[in-house]
Amino acid sequence: MAAMSNEERLVRLETRQETLATKEDIANLEARLIKWMVGLMLGSIVAATAIATLIERLT
């Protein structure tokens, strides 16, 4: 394999860099994940309460 010139290496690095996440992307993802986790926790609590209430009424 022939050695790449510095210009070729720079072009490859700059091209690949465009696909990387920025700090803002990571911060937005973190906020969305936190919202999902809180929503899932609240949904689980509501579901567990509903199931417990239903079981209590049936017995």
Side-chain angles (χ1 to χ4, degrees), residues 15-26:
T15 302
R16 187 173 270 168
Q17 183 180 6
E18 293 173 3
T19 63
L20 299 177
T22 63
K23 286 183 180 181
E24 183 179 359
D25 293 334
I26 301 295

Side-chain angles (χ1 to χ4, degrees), residues 3-56:
M4 288 190 292
S5 70
N6 285 340
E7 288 181 22
E8 291 171 327
R9 291 178 69 195
L10 182 59
V11 168
R12 286 183 71 182
L13 288 171
E14 287 178 346
T15 302
R16 187 173 270 168
Q17 183 180 6
E18 293 173 3
T19 63
L20 299 177
T22 63
K23 286 183 180 181
E24 183 179 359
D25 293 334
I26 301 295
N28 289 338
L29 176 62
E30 181 183 15
R32 285 180 28 211
L33 285 172
I34 290 171
K35 288 176 187 176
W36 267 96
M37 284 190 269
V38 169
L40 286 172
M41 283 191 305
L42 291 175
S44 298
I45 291 169
V46 169
T49 303
I51 291 170
T53 302
L54 180 62
I55 290 171
E56 185 178 316

